[in-house]
Amino acid sequence: MKIPRQVIQSLSEWGQVRENELLKNYTTFKTGGPADVLVAPMSNRSISHIVTIAAENQVPLTVIGGGSNLLVGDYGIEGVVLWLCENGGRKAAMSVLEDGTLYADAMTVKENFISYAVDAGFSGVAFMAGIPGCIGGGIMMNAGTFMGTFSEIVKDVDIVDQNGDDRTVAIDRARTSYRNMNIGAGNIITGARFVLERTDDREGELNKMREVLADRGKKHPLDYPSAGSVFKNPDGHSSWKLINDAGLKGAAIGGASVSELHTNFIINLNNATSQDIRDLISKIRETVYQKFGIELETEVKMMGAFERP
Ligand SMILES: Cc1cc2nc3c(=O)[nH]c(=O)nc-3n(C[C@H](O)[C@H](O)[C@H](O)COP(=O)(O)OP(=O)(O)OC[C@H]3O[C@@H](n4cnc5c(N)ncnc54)[C@H](O)[C@@H]3O)c2cc1C
């Protein structure tokens, strides 16, 4: 889509703007076509201005964080892509508030959040070790492992809605679910407060993380680009086992392949396109359904155009 020059000019007053920016450089799959315009906001306050400019000019707006749970179409994303993950330019803010909660900007890289929390004497963040991406994406996805999830530690989030209005929303754990924080479509998280236990055993916390990272290093195909687990686990089943038992270990389409190490990971083995990955996802879903009558649901979020517009 052609975004009028004056709109790009207005956006650039509130953030760093990159036109026709290839999103494969912003996703951990290392695939995905261009964003018409990618904007890295100058500050949290500038986010509502960017949303308002896009809305007033009927330009669609899409939010991405670290791109570690995304499959972006080969023909890219139309309109504005708001990039909310720490980058070379702006550094995220974190602080311990008077009430003892920990505040972090949504753009905080998880790894930095973990270090900050542990150094400030908190525990309960070890589950995040090795989960890539940024805090906003982690909250939106209610990311986690068997050790814990974001919904267990987030108290409230600051959001900007589709009209550009901002407010703070308390997290009601009863309304959250597996990989879903129920924040509401179109709402952009700009920051969050966390309730964490205190500990004086910093070394113990660091050891927990080291163990988690070592274990993940053995189980996950970290030498290849991926987006982690592609499918959610259906009730009472493990997706990796269903895929494995369906005989799909190592199955490949184009440059995309089912990991031999962890069959719920699709890896970009050899210059895969997003279409290769999407086709492989379809093949896995069809095969598992034919063999076991179980419908796999993707955990990975697909966005943008997969067909030439
Ligand atoms: C090697 C590997 C291992 C992984 N292991 C795990 C794991 O153990 N557990 C797990 O749960 N996940 C795992 N993942 C998936 C992924 O890392 C998590 O879902 C992560 O939290 C996504 O964060 P992100 O910043 O990359 O979000 P993105 O992938 O950029 O975005 C994910 C979704 O959140 C939305 N979003 C992002 N930021 C915001 C924001 N500020 N406001 C509103 N919406 C936003 C996006 O629009 C999109 O819908 C893994 C991925 C990889 C590559």
Side-chain angles (χ1 to χ4, degrees), residues 85-216:
C85 201
E86 264 174 304
N87 51 74
R90 187 182 146 213
K91 255 198 108 35
M94 284 178 274
S95 56
V96 179
L97 304 177
E98 268 179 21
D99 65 359
T101 55
L102 201 163
Y103 170 83
D105 280 344
M107 66 185 292
T108 312
V109 168
K110 289 188 192 77
E111 216 179 314
N112 297 343
F113 178 81
I114 294 172
S115 305
Y116 184 86
V118 172
D119 286 347
F122 290 106
S123 70
V125 293
F127 78 87
M128 261 184 237
I131 304 182
C134 292
I135 287 297
I139 295 174
M140 207 63 184
M141 291 304 304
N142 192 10
T145 66
F146 68 93
M147 288 177 72
T149 59
F150 272 82
S151 59
E152 291 163 36
I153 58 171
V154 182
K155 178 177 170 251
D156 53 35
V157 290
D158 299 330
I159 59 160
V160 169
D161 67 20
Q162 280 160 317
N163 302 318
D165 296 327
D166 52 16
R167 60 182 186 277
T168 299
V169 176
I171 296 296
D172 175 2
R173 266 188 75 189
R175 295 188 63 234
T176 67
S177 57
Y178 173 49
R179 298 295 172 268
N180 185 1
M181 195 66 94
N182 216 347
I183 299 280
N187 288 328
I188 299 168
I189 303 168
T190 60
R193 275 152 294 270
F194 296 82
V195 178
L196 296 167
E197 302 269 305
R198 283 276 178 191
T199 177
D200 45 21
D201 183 14
R202 180 175 177 276
E203 203 43 43
E205 285 304 307
L206 290 175
N207 280 336
K208 250 189 256 170
M209 321 259 178
R210 289 184 194 115
E211 278 167 31
V212 172
L213 289 174
D215 187 52
R216 291 174 69 100

Side-chain angles (χ1 to χ4, degrees), residues 217-229:
K218 277 186 234 146
K219 292 181 181 158
H220 294 170
L222 301 180
D223 291 341
Y224 294 97
S226 80
S229 292

